[in-house]
């Protein structure tokens, strides 16, 4: 690995910045730590990667507790102080007109006012990794302020979060029957995930006739696979069970769609595998014109 490239490449990671509060022989302290992140939902665990030379490291090792205060885009001057000096040099939290402190509920170190998240943590693990030590804390108390915006750190500069990138989905207007057919399979899921086979013959596509609860519907051979199951294998099993011998190409196509019928909408993802028919058609399958149905048109083009 080329050292210069590796050194430069590191700047291109993107992080937030937290201010880690702790208490030790020199009193209360704060340090800036961009390498701070949640690493478990339940229990809620936060990992901070701290250099062994930091006063904060010694404090946490001794007291086995610390505060995580996630900085907002209005707190760059606090972060500069927390990250620019050590507690061995100055009492950072006492720098005039800067830190406003809040009393913690369960730990000795104070929390910092005005942050987007304040979490009180009890140390559960410490592991040296390379030139830093991973310090993992279990959150015992947490507060957040949804009106604040986090500070973003990238290429050695502070940034504000810009606009939200809306997830792109193709909206397809479908008839009531199509909408109902898929909606009946949703079972409370946010996105209905389907896997299907695309077998084309000129401008026609292979479709299967399905019947469920007295309703019938025709579309490409597809299933709603169980979560975590290999989609291609699940589809192959389905195709075999309905007597279709199709050689599938192992390169999935993904279509992220929104089915719309009047005011009703449902997100639906199709993982599609192109394939070639290897046996004659049975009577529950037929060739249908791609342009005859908006859903077929969208998933085949
Ligand atoms: C934006 C920013 C992010 C930082 N992130 C980290 C970090 O993730 N881990 C770390 O050990 N030091 C990090 N530092 C450096 C420490 O904050 C710095 O060494 C500090 O002086 C340590 O303070 P202390 O000795 O009082 O604990 C960062 C500094 C800045 C300015």
């Amino acid at each position: 690995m080329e050292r210069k490239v590796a050194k430069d490449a590191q700047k291109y990671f993107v992080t937030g910045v937290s201010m880690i509060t702790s208490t030790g022989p020199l009193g209360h302290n704060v340090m800036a730590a961009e390498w701070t992140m949640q690493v478990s939902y339940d229990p809620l665990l936060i990992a901070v990667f701290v250099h062994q030379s930091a006063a904060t490291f010694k404090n946490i090792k001794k007291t086995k507790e610390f505060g995580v205060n996630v900085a907002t885009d209005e707190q760059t001057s606090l972060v500069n102080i927390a990250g620019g000096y050590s507690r061995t040099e100055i009492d950072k939290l006492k720098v005039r007109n800067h830190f406003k402190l809040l009393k913690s509920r369960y730990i000795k170190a104070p929390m910092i006012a005005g942050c987007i998240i304040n979490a009180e943590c009890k140390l559960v693990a410490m592991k040296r990794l390379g030139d830093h030590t991973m310090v993992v804390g279990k959150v015992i108390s947490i507060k957040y302020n949804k009106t604040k915006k986090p500070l973003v750190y990238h290429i050695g500069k502070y940034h504000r979060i810009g606009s939200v990138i809306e997830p792109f989905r193709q909206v397809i207007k479908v008839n009531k029957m199509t909408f109902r057919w898929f909606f009946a399979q949703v079972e409370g899921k946010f996105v209905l995930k389907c896997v299907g086979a695309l077998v084309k013959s000129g401008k026609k596509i292979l479709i299967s006739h399905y019947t469920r609860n007295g309703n019938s519907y025709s579309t490409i051979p597809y299933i709603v696979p169980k979560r975590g199951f290999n989609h291609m294998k699940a589809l192959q099993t389905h195709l075999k069970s309905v007597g279709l011998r199709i050689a599938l190409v192992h390169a999935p196509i993904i279509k992220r769609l929104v089915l719309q019928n009047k005011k009703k909408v449902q997100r639906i993802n199709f993982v599609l595998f192109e394939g070639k028919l290897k046996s004659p058609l049975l009577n529950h399958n037929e060739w249908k014109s791609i342009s005859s149905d908006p859903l077929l048109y969208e998933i085949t083009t």
Side-chain angles (χ1 to χ4, degrees):
M1 186 172 63
E2 212 200 302
R3 286 181 78 88
K4 162 103 179 62
V5 177
K7 203 165 168 241
D8 287 347
Q10 291 164 24
K11 297 183 203 150
Y12 288 83
F13 281 104
V14 58
T15 60
V17 185
S18 290
M19 292 179 279
I20 309 303
T21 45
S22 62
T23 295
L26 297 172
H28 295 324
N29 189 26
V30 61
M31 77 166 261
E34 56 158 326
W35 296 343
T36 304
M37 66 185 300
Q38 178 189 339
V39 290
S40 161
Y41 289 123
D42 189 14
L44 182 49
L45 300 177
I46 298 178
V48 190
F49 295 79
V50 186
H51 198 271
Q52 291 74 238
S53 65
T56 301
F57 176 76
K58 292 166 193 108
N59 287 353
I60 297 174
K61 207 170 164 192
K62 193 143 190 246
T63 62
K64 307 207 172 345
E65 56 184 36
F66 57 96
V68 173
N69 305 267
V70 180
T72 74
D73 56 6
E74 296 154 344
Q75 292 179 313
T76 52
S77 56
L78 304 189
V79 168
N80 280 332
I81 294 168
Y85 293 91
S86 174
R87 182 66 180 84
T88 55
E89 297 165 338
I90 55 166
D91 188 346
K92 295 179 258 187
L93 290 170
K94 291 225 172 96
V95 170
R96 280 198 199 186
N97 305 324
H98 278 83
F99 295 94
K100 193 170 163 236
L101 303 181
L102 304 168
K103 205 172 159 7
S104 299
R105 285 179 71 188
Y106 301 105
I107 64 171
K108 287 202 180 71
M111 304 306 277
I112 295 165
C115 293
I116 189 160
I117 302 174
N118 295 109
E120 295 180 32
C121 301
K122 289 277 184 192
L123 185 70
V124 292
M126 250 186 168
K127 184 170 173 54
R128 183 150 182 179
L129 297 166
D131 53 15
H132 280 61
T133 294
M134 178 178 69
V135 171
V136 184
K138 182 174 170 185
V139 176
I140 46 168
S141 175
I142 190 162
K143 282 188 219 149
Y144 68 99
N145 183 339
K146 59 182 177 191
T147 66
K148 302 282 181 189
K149 298 269 186 298
L151 181 64
V152 176
Y153 193 57
H154 181 53
I155 327 181
K157 286 197 161 60
Y158 302 122
H159 300 255
R160 282 201 170 87
I161 279 191
S163 54
V164 172
I165 301 170
E166 294 299 342
F168 180 77
R169 284 184 177 275
Q170 191 73 41
V171 178
I172 310 172
K173 290 195 168 117
V174 293
N175 59 28
K176 203 166 164 183
M177 196 183 56
T178 303
F179 190 89
R180 276 193 185 162
W181 178 265
F182 287 105
F183 192 73
Q185 291 178 281
V186 168
E187 290 168 359
K189 290 182 217 92
F190 187 64
V191 179
L192 176 67
K193 289 181 168 176
C194 302
V195 54
L198 284 183
V199 185
K200 287 188 222 169
S201 172
K203 291 193 171 154
K204 297 201 161 177
I205 187 152
L206 178 72
I207 59 156
S208 286
H209 301 295
Y210 292 99
T211 312
R212 195 192 322 120
N213 300 336
N215 296 317
S216 54
Y217 185 70
S218 302
T219 192
I220 58 162
Y222 86 101
I223 50 157
V224 177
K226 284 202 186 106
R227 200 186 136 111
F229 277 58
N230 180 293
H231 282 31
M232 190 164 160
K233 279 192 191 149
L235 179 64
Q236 273 164 335
T237 307
H238 167 72
L239 296 175
K240 213 168 154 191
S241 73
V242 295
L244 277 170
R245 288 188 63 233
I246 297 171
L248 297 175
V249 180
H250 200 169
I253 299 166
I254 296 199
K255 294 277 177 175
R256 289 161 48 84
L257 313 169
V258 176
L259 297 187
Q260 183 183 23
N261 180 252
K262 296 197 174 136
K263 286 190 176 158
K264 287 182 276 184
V265 288
Q266 174 59 47
R267 289 167 189 80
I268 175 166
N269 285 3
F270 260 102
V271 169
L272 301 161
F273 291 94
E274 284 178 319
K276 277 208 175 82
L277 194 62
K278 296 199 294 182
S279 60
L281 282 189
L282 299 173
N283 54 6
H284 58 271
N285 305 114
E286 62 174 292
W287 296 104
K288 194 171 173 183
S289 159
I290 289 167
S291 55
S292 65
D293 173 324
L295 180 60
L296 287 184
Y297 183 79
E298 189 50 49
I299 59 184
T300 45
T301 51

